[in-house]
Amino acid sequence: MNKNIRYNYSAFSGILLAAVMCAVFYNLSMLMPITGFALLVYKIKNVPMFRRKEWLMVTLLSMFFIGGINIYVSPNTYKFAVEFFTNESLKNLAGYIFIFLPIEILYYKFNGRKFMIPVFDRIIITSIIATIGAYFYIKLLNINEELLKEVIQELNNIDEKNIEIIFKFMKNHIYYLIYTYVGFVTYITYYTFGRKSYSMWRISYWWLLFYIIPFFIIRFGHIQNVYLTNIMLMVKISFVVYGIKIVYNFIRLKIKSDVICQILAMIIGLNFQNITFIIAGLLSFEALKITIIRSNGGK
């Protein structure tokens, strides 16, 4: 009897701790967006979905903490403030539901045996879905644009002309910016658990259609459309990241340090994006070449 009590207490303590940590990592990601992957990495590593009851309890309990506690920076004092079970804290929960939960669930679904989808395709599909969720979340927040401008101006000492340029850029590239962020979070999550097979990651060439078609519409149809521009940029950054992997593979032949190879690949890929994009686009047809060869009996 005492053993059962101790076991149940230990199990509950583990679930409670995991839920608290998920809430902490989530609020950290809201304060420092670049750390967003930490929540997914922690939860996938410590509370895998195949332990369904534990995963469900941790998820619901962490949602309770996230929706009940809202940590934010006060626009008046620029200091951290805390609220409990308010309308704002429930909006805070929406960020977890619309952004991070879909990424986590899709990670498990795509890693199932039924899905033979290239890793970069998984990342792209997940990022698209998370981008849609993140966009609705931003709309839900109903951010006061003028107040946000004042806060950014005061914190960064930016004049009004430059702040207008920044906000115009953000409006015109909102989908691309969101996609880049959630793509970064998703990419780091996949890389954390799949770095051993990183050199073998592939991307499907047909994604290029989403770049080529808008390109011709804009170029020859003389149509300037925000959606088409964002789609092109989303495809381009996806192939640039794939190109960085290709550069990494080449450098890895000469340098054995994984960290140095990653750093050099990113420096080269990001500084020569157009070249990286073209190379990645051409080499994305490698999978098609392999399929054709196999279908011809290896000839």
Side-chain angles (χ1 to χ4, degrees):
M1 184 68 178
N2 290 332
K3 289 183 178 180
N4 289 333
I5 293 174
R6 285 197 296 270
Y7 174 78
N8 291 333
Y9 175 77
S10 176
F12 177 75
S13 298
I15 291 172
L16 183 62
L17 176 62
V20 170
M21 290 302 297
C22 286
V24 169
F25 279 124
Y26 174 75
N27 282 291
L28 179 63
S29 70
M30 292 293 102
L31 295 171
M32 300 174 61
I34 197 172
T35 64
F37 65 89
L39 166 62
L40 294 165
V41 170
Y42 172 82
K43 195 176 178 191
I44 292 171
K45 183 178 181 180
N46 294 279
V47 195
M49 190 178 276
F50 66 80
R51 296 185 339 223
R52 295 192 177 183
K53 289 184 178 179
E54 182 182 346
W55 180 87
L56 184 60
M57 290 180 67
V58 170
T59 300
L60 293 175
L61 200 54
S62 61
M63 288 170 65
F64 174 79
F65 290 137
I66 293 169
I69 305 172
N70 182 35
I71 303 174
Y72 65 99
V73 178
S74 173
N76 298 321
T77 62
Y78 304 125
K79 294 181 179 180
F80 289 112
V82 181
E83 292 181 340
F84 300 94
F85 296 101
T86 63
N87 184 47
E88 293 302 320
S89 65
L90 292 175
K91 287 182 179 180
N92 190 40
L93 173 61
Y96 177 74
I97 296 173
F98 287 155
I99 304 172
F100 294 96
L101 197 57
I103 295 176
E104 180 187 2
I105 292 174
L106 287 171
Y107 175 84
Y108 285 112
K109 292 298 181 182
F110 284 140
N111 279 279
R113 294 180 180 178
K114 294 181 180 179
F115 294 95
M116 298 300 292
I117 301 175
V119 176
F120 270 98
D121 286 10
R122 302 177 195 179
I123 294 173
I124 291 172
I125 294 169
T126 301
S127 300
I128 291 171
I129 294 173
T131 296
I132 296 171
Y135 179 77
F136 282 114
Y137 171 61
I138 292 173
K139 287 293 183 182
L140 180 65
L141 292 178
N142 193 25
I143 300 171
N144 187 321
E145 185 177 316
E146 294 303 319
L147 179 60
L148 182 60
K149 286 180 181 179
E150 291 179 8
V151 172
I152 294 177
Q153 276 185 280
E154 291 189 25
L155 290 177
N156 299 280
N157 193 27
I158 303 175
D159 59 49
E160 188 174 348
K161 182 180 179 180
N162 286 325
I163 203 71
E164 290 296 333
I165 293 173
I166 292 171
F167 269 74
K168 183 179 180 180
F169 176 85
M170 291 172 63
K171 283 183 178 180
N172 291 335
H173 300 85
I174 181 67
Y175 305 105
Y176 164 69
L177 294 174
I178 296 174
Y179 177 84
T180 301
Y181 170 69
V182 296
F184 167 77
V185 171
T186 306
Y187 176 84
I188 295 297
T189 301
Y190 270 86
Y191 180 77
T192 301
F193 297 104
R195 66 180 68 187
K196 290 182 179 180
S197 62
Y198 174 70
S199 61
M200 302 299 294
W201 288 9
R202 295 288 181 265
I203 192 172
S204 296
Y205 61 87
W206 56 266
W207 289 110
L208 289 170
L209 290 174
F210 293 96
Y211 184 91
I212 296 171
I213 294 173
F215 174 81
F216 279 103
I217 292 174
I218 293 173
R219 184 65 180 267
F220 298 104
H222 304 290
I223 299 173
Q224 293 299 325
N225 185 279
V226 171
Y227 298 106
L228 294 177
T229 302
N230 276 265
I231 289 172
M232 288 177 62
L233 289 172
M234 289 160 66
V235 174
K236 183 176 180 179
I237 191 64
S238 299
F239 275 85
V240 166
V241 174
Y242 179 65
I244 289 173
K245 193 274 302 185
I246 294 171
V247 175
Y248 165 86
N249 285 348
F250 279 114
I251 298 175
R252 199 79 169 85
L253 297 174
K254 298 295 183 179
I255 302 175
K256 298 303 179 183
S257 173
D258 184 73
V259 176
I260 294 176
C261 289
Q262 285 287 2
I263 293 173
L264 290 176
M266 283 191 289
I267 292 173
I268 294 171
L270 295 176
N271 278 282
F272 303 95
Q273 291 190 25
N274 291 334
I275 297 175
T276 306
F277 171 64
I278 293 171
I279 293 173
L282 292 173
L283 292 183
S284 67
F285 288 89
E286 180 183 1
L288 178 63
K289 180 181 177 182
I290 293 172
T291 302
I292 293 174
I293 291 173
R294 287 178 178 174
S295 65
N296 288 328
K299 296 180 181 180

